[in-house]
Amino acid sequence: MPTKAALAHIPGPPALPVIGHTLTIVRDSYGTQQDYIARYGSVYKTNMLGVWRVNLCGADAMEMVLLDRAELFSSEGGWDALKRIYPGGLLLQDFDHHRANRRIMQAAFRASAIRDYRLRMTGAMADLLAGWPDGEPFCFYKAIKDLTLRLGGAVFMGLPLDGALAGKVNRAIQDEIRASLSVIRRPIPLTPMWRGVRGRHFLRETFRKLIPERRANGGDDFFSQMCLAKDEDGQGWTEDQILDQFNLLIMAAHDTTATALSVMIEALASHPRWQERLADEVAGLGDGPLDEESLAKMTQTQNVFREALRLVPPVPFIPRQATRDFHWRGYDIPAGTSLALNPGVTMLSPQYYTNPTAFDPDRFLPDRAEDKNHRFAWTPFGGGAHKCIGMHFSTLQVKLFVATLLRKRRVQLAAAAPEWQRMPIPKPKGGLPVILQSI
């Protein structure tokens, strides 16, 4: 990894010993980056916990790095902090190795499988929402994280919504997530990393026992599909590969959806006119099943989802590591350099969006199409070879949630609109207390 001296020609703010710019960035990641861009330009260096990183800002930089036509940028090197908990996951693979495993993963996301996931999820969603309180405040963020975990158990793992095993699995997933965000990277007893390593071992051994039965009998849950998945050449995964891929996938699916739905609910509660627009759209579907045809008609809901992801993307910064020396915007950047892209700040740029901090889903209508001002102006799912493989599944899940909720209830804030903690995983400060009212 290049030293500070090797990056001396890259501009950047003065850094404190050891902690560098860590506290400043964690306290206000977006504001700090906007300030640094104004002062130093779209290429500058920062230090996070002793690691020097070159920030490549803007849509052009994302296009260059994420498309990566010359295979210059390693996702595995960029996400190095996740290796202890999620080794072998698709996100932590590069180039030919990544492409081969992505082809197998695609089989679990084919259209017929998505249809089965929708059928499994529809009933589970209604059951879970029926248990939410009516007419009294509750913490939406905590409730939606619990809901997405339980849905993950049902749809991804084929587990019952309740039960001892589902509870243990959910706790292990939470322990893994906390470990992946921990500053302490060694499994010292009683630290988050120690709990995360134990959680990972529990999940692997729990699901390893299920593989033979799922391979023999199949199933319409995601884990079963992964056990059976093969690419066009008939290549599938070993047991260890299934466990590695599945472990990362359930974390990514749970946390990103919880963030997106929290942003949407806060926006709908703060903008009652938009809540009624979506309620009218849902009412127009009738009382029939929420099938593919019905969900495809929820275009306004989709635009609200897209706007929520623009305002508070679940992954506001994308890391990479340079595999070779390269040149960008007048700077020579050496091999081994840690890099950071900034989709979160780019999606708030007035260069691409009018009144960019305002909630305005109509900016995605065809006659405005502000997200088309640059092919990487809207990138909450990343782009290129590593573009989120579960993007369409996430959209399906969000539409089902909104339709299920607004068929019977309306939401209002129980406190002032929250500020958002942007890093490491975006979440509403104070937990987003809301009140649901039956109609």
Side-chain angles (χ1 to χ4, degrees):
M1 186 173 295
T3 63
K4 179 181 178 181
L7 300 175
H9 60 296
I10 308 290
L16 293 172
V18 184
I19 64 171
H21 310 100
T22 305
L23 297 180
T24 303
I25 292 172
V26 169
R27 191 162 44 239
D28 183 8
S29 56
Y30 279 28
T32 298
Q33 180 158 94
Q34 288 163 335
D35 174 51
Y36 289 169
I37 292 171
R39 289 161 59 187
Y40 304 107
S42 63
V43 179
Y44 66 89
K45 66 176 180 285
T46 51
N47 183 292
M48 288 280 285
L49 296 174
V51 177
W52 284 95
R53 180 171 282 106
V54 173
N55 296 263
L56 306 179
C57 305
D60 287 344
M62 283 192 288
E63 180 174 18
M64 184 266 296
V65 173
L66 296 180
L67 292 185
D68 195 15
R69 294 184 173 92
E71 297 191 345
L72 281 170
F73 306 109
S74 169
S75 182
E76 179 183 2
W79 292 103
D80 185 71
L82 299 181
K83 283 183 181 178
R84 183 178 289 276
I85 300 297
Y86 303 110
L90 200 61
L91 183 66
L92 278 70
Q93 296 175 344
D94 293 317
F95 315 132
D96 287 345
H97 187 208
H98 172 264
R99 282 188 285 270
N101 281 303
R102 190 176 175 99
R103 283 196 294 270
I104 299 173
M105 182 78 80
Q106 290 281 13
F109 279 100
R110 68 189 187 279
S112 60
I114 293 290
R115 182 174 58 253
D116 290 337
Y117 305 153
R118 175 186 57 76
L119 292 171
R120 179 178 283 266
M121 189 160 41
T122 301
M125 185 89 72
D127 290 344
L128 290 169
L129 281 175
W132 283 10
D134 200 72
E136 60 184 69
F138 69 100
C139 176
F140 181 84
Y141 185 68
K142 182 178 183 298
I144 198 64
K145 283 178 73 72
D146 179 71
L147 182 144
T148 54
L149 274 172
R150 291 181 182 278
L151 277 179
V155 178
F156 281 81
M157 309 171 210
L159 300 176
L161 293 176
D162 296 302
L165 180 57
K168 290 178 181 178
V169 166
N170 289 348
R171 283 192 294 275
I173 294 170
Q174 294 279 34
D175 285 343
E176 284 190 319
I177 292 170
R178 293 188 188 98
S180 69
L181 304 174
S182 174
V183 173
I184 299 172
R185 306 311 302 167
R186 296 176 60 193
I188 299 170
L190 304 182
T191 62
M193 182 58 71
W194 177 77
R195 293 188 177 91
V197 170
R198 287 163 59 93
R200 178 176 182 271
H201 176 76
F202 168 77
L203 290 172
R204 285 176 62 84
E205 295 313 304
T206 296
F207 285 99
R208 188 186 299 278
K209 296 172 186 175
L210 300 178
I211 291 175
E213 187 270 333
R214 300 296 177 91
R215 280 181 162 164
N217 301 316
D220 57 5
D221 59 278
F222 197 89
F223 184 71
S224 296
Q225 293 297 312
M226 289 183 71
C227 292
L228 300 172
K230 290 179 170 37
D231 64 15
E232 60 272 19
D233 297 321
Q235 297 298 310
W237 282 320
T238 66
E239 284 191 2
D240 283 336
Q241 287 174 321
I242 291 169
L243 297 169
D244 285 341
Q245 297 291 356
F246 187 66
N247 191 34
L248 179 60
L249 186 75
I250 55 177
M251 180 277 288
H254 146 255
D255 243 29
T256 55
T257 303
T259 294
L261 284 171
S262 295
V263 181
M264 288 184 71
I265 287 299
E266 190 251 313
L268 294 179
S270 300
H271 300 84
R273 182 176 65 88
W274 267 103
Q275 186 169 177
E276 288 310 310
R277 283 176 67 170
L278 296 201
D280 289 344
E281 181 173 73
V282 170
L285 303 178
D287 297 325
L290 296 169
D291 55 18
E292 288 91 339
E293 183 179 355
S294 295
L295 295 176
K297 296 175 182 177
M298 296 177 66
T299 55
Q300 293 192 87
T301 301
Q302 180 153 327
N303 286 341
V304 170
F305 179 44
R306 288 167 64 83
E307 180 72 337
L309 290 173
R310 185 188 70 84
L311 290 168
V312 188
V315 184
F317 299 94
I318 299 175
R320 289 291 187 268
Q321 185 179 58
T323 61
R324 303 192 299 276
D325 297 352
F326 72 100
H327 186 84
W328 179 251
R329 292 289 193 258
Y331 296 100
D332 292 316
I333 301 173
T337 299
S338 293
L339 307 169
L341 304 174
N342 69 334
V345 172
T346 298
M347 289 190 289
L348 294 179
S349 172
Q351 182 179 356
Y352 307 115
Y353 296 99
T354 58
N355 197 7
T357 60
F359 175 74
D360 181 10
D362 283 341
R363 69 175 78 247
F364 294 99
L365 291 174
D367 61 340
R368 290 177 63 184
E370 294 181 3
D371 57 311
K372 306 299 184 186
N373 287 330
H374 188 292
R375 65 184 299 189
F376 280 79
W378 189 80
T379 50
F381 293 105
H386 281 88
K387 190 170 186 177
C388 177
I389 199 168
M391 178 174 64
H392 298 298
F393 176 83
S394 176
T395 303
L396 166 72
Q397 189 172 10
V398 165
K399 287 182 174 181
L400 280 173
F401 174 85
V402 170
T404 304
L405 178 69
L406 294 183
R407 273 180 164 177
K408 295 185 176 180
R409 302 207 243 183
R410 299 291 181 268
V411 60
Q412 63 189 61
L413 296 178
E419 294 182 13
W420 282 82
Q421 174 186 308
R422 300 282 186 168
M423 290 182 64
I425 293 176
K427 63 180 181 180
K429 296 179 180 180
L432 187 58
V434 301
I435 299 173
L436 296 180
Q437 298 284 359
S438 295
I439 57 171

